[in-house]
Amino acid sequence: MDTNPPTASVLLATNDEALLDDLLRLAAAASVTPLVEPHLQGLRRSWHACSLVVVGRDLAQPLARVHPTQRPGVIVVGSATDGDDLYRCAFDVGADAVCRLPDDEPLLAGKLSDALDGVSRTAVTLAFVGGCGGAGATTLASAVAVLGNRRGLRTMLVDGDPLGGGIELALGIERSPGDRWPKLINASGRISAAALRSALPSVDGLSVLSWDRSDVTVLPPDTMSSVISAAQRSADLVVLDLPRRPDPTVEEGFIRATATLLVVPGDVRSLAAAKRLAGPLRSVAGDLRVIPRAAQAAIAPADVATYLNLPLATTLALDRSLPAAINEGHFPLTPRSSLTRTANEVLDLFTNPHLATVEPANLTRQAFT
């Protein structure tokens, strides 16, 4: 029988029951199951066992007296009434930070979430938006996410359009168990990346955050911001399908994206609509590019890019079989399809850094209006 203790990412070391209650509450909120050591001997024994060590004020001074080996990921925790001795002890044990509760609870909560998430990630984040209704942005976003996942990239697909309703149907997961946006409506601050990923429905390992059939159609900006941040910490690739409407919540998606890809059918009316959208998008999207989609009597892709004054990312050929296939519950990513070709070109462009040659514009938080 295996007699080794269970592994944990966080060590809580204190014999102060009130402080331990506070620490366990914060750990539970971060979905962390910690190792608890109430005595100095246990703390020293487990000093190198966890990625984060949280030392209570009662053990900080005795720990300092034994001169522990210096290591990263140590936090000393006390209360607002503790004096300068708390900082001297923290210095002596080589702590990275001192947290005084309750004022520093957000800082400590973030450290706990980081320990659970493991190595910090900076995911490539691609936002897709249609230049007009029916441009094909949702379909292309889904294709990029599916093919990114097949390439072995840890991928999350986020449906930011409550009125769209297309992603779950396209992927055939509308009845799959898992949380949707309305379950996260009150989420703000630091969200555990691991907990978010484990709560979402998935298809072949691709995590998907979409909408249910409820009447909820509005998200607070803080919720969008917190969820995208958690997704970026848990993934290699985050794909955002965003609506065209002006909205502070939607703005958070464009601001946090590595690049925004504007999908535009190459006809006169679609171009006119996209032109009205491109200007406001420039104020919030750091790297905005266009993907022209072929249409009847199509305008050349280079002319589309010139008219919109945007870099050309790639092109999307017209595929008349797409709508019928999606309506029948099939996502048509055959090796030779135009959708597959375009999605792979997008992935090549943004997941191979040496291919991304367009410098991002200066990022601002001007309202997307």
Side-chain angles (χ1 to χ4, degrees):
M1 183 173 66
D2 186 4
T3 58
N4 293 326
T7 58
S9 58
V10 174
L11 168 63
L12 303 181
T14 182
N15 195 33
D16 183 323
E17 293 186 1
L19 177 58
L20 181 59
D21 286 344
D22 286 337
L23 296 178
L24 289 174
R25 171 176 55 81
L26 292 173
S31 300
V32 169
T33 302
L35 173 65
V36 177
E37 292 287 0
H39 305 296
L40 178 62
Q41 183 179 358
L43 168 58
R44 297 182 68 188
R45 182 177 61 247
S46 302
W47 183 243
H48 293 288
C50 301
S51 60
L52 179 67
V53 177
V54 180
V55 183
R57 59 197 169 203
D58 56 309
L59 293 184
Q61 190 169 19
L63 178 64
R65 286 197 294 263
V66 300
H67 305 291
T69 303
Q70 297 289 298
R71 54 147 295 170
V74 177
I75 298 176
V76 172
V77 180
S79 70
T81 59
D82 288 320
D84 292 341
D85 285 348
L86 187 67
Y87 289 91
R88 281 194 287 269
C89 290
F91 177 80
D92 290 340
V93 303
D96 298 331
V98 173
C99 290
R100 293 172 176 266
L101 303 185
D103 292 348
D104 293 333
E105 282 194 3
L107 172 61
L108 183 55
K111 296 290 187 181
L112 291 167
S113 292
D114 283 343
L116 178 63
D117 297 341
V119 178
S120 178
R121 295 173 179 264
T122 305
V124 172
T125 305
L126 302 179
F128 290 82
V129 60
C132 61
T138 295
T139 301
L140 181 55
S142 301
V144 168
V146 169
L147 292 176
N149 183 61
R150 289 181 185 175
R151 289 189 181 195
L153 299 173
R154 201 173 191 191
T155 305
M156 186 176 295
L157 174 60
V158 179
D159 182 359
D161 187 357
L163 303 179
I167 280 184
E168 288 205 342
L169 293 173
L171 298 177
I173 59 169
E174 64 271 18
R175 296 184 180 178
S176 297
D179 289 350
R180 271 70 173 177
W181 272 117
K183 188 75 175 290
L184 305 173
I185 197 71
N186 295 318
S188 62
R190 185 82 168 197
I191 297 176
S192 165
L196 175 65
R197 175 172 288 276
S198 65
L200 298 181
S202 65
V203 52
D204 297 328
L206 168 64
S207 299
V208 182
L209 176 55
S210 188
W211 298 84
D212 60 16
R213 309 271 180 175
S214 71
D215 294 331
V216 176
T217 58
V218 177
L219 289 177
D222 286 350
T223 298
M224 177 68 85
S225 175
S226 298
V227 167
I228 292 177
S229 293
Q232 290 172 323
R233 295 196 306 273
S234 73
D236 304 306
L237 174 66
V238 178
V239 179
L240 308 174
D241 177 34
L242 298 176
R244 301 185 309 280
R245 69 176 186 277
D247 184 308
T249 300
V250 176
E251 179 183 312
E252 288 295 324
F254 292 122
I255 286 173
R256 293 175 179 275
T258 306
T260 296
L261 299 166
L262 179 63
V263 183
V264 183
D267 62 77
V268 173
R269 294 184 64 183
S270 298
L271 275 180
K275 184 74 170 180
R276 292 174 60 87
L277 179 63
L281 274 176
R282 285 191 184 91
S283 69
V284 290
D287 182 357
L288 177 62
R289 311 190 193 189
V290 64
I291 299 180
R293 196 199 79 196
Q296 292 181 341
I299 299 171
D303 292 336
V304 171
T306 299
Y307 179 73
L308 296 177
N309 194 25
L310 293 175
L312 180 65
T314 182
T315 61
L316 178 60
L318 183 64
D319 188 341
R320 300 180 188 280
S321 66
L322 274 176
I326 292 175
N327 286 339
E328 293 172 4
H330 305 296
F331 198 63
L333 280 178
T334 58
R336 295 184 179 181
S337 73
S338 61
L339 180 61
T340 299
R341 176 192 61 78
T342 300
N344 276 323
E345 288 178 353
V346 170
L347 288 167
D348 288 342
L349 184 60
F350 292 102
T351 61
N352 294 323
H354 65 282
L355 294 177
T357 57
V358 176
E359 291 293 329
N362 291 330
L363 192 64
T364 69
R365 291 189 63 91
Q366 180 179 341
F368 173 48
T369 55

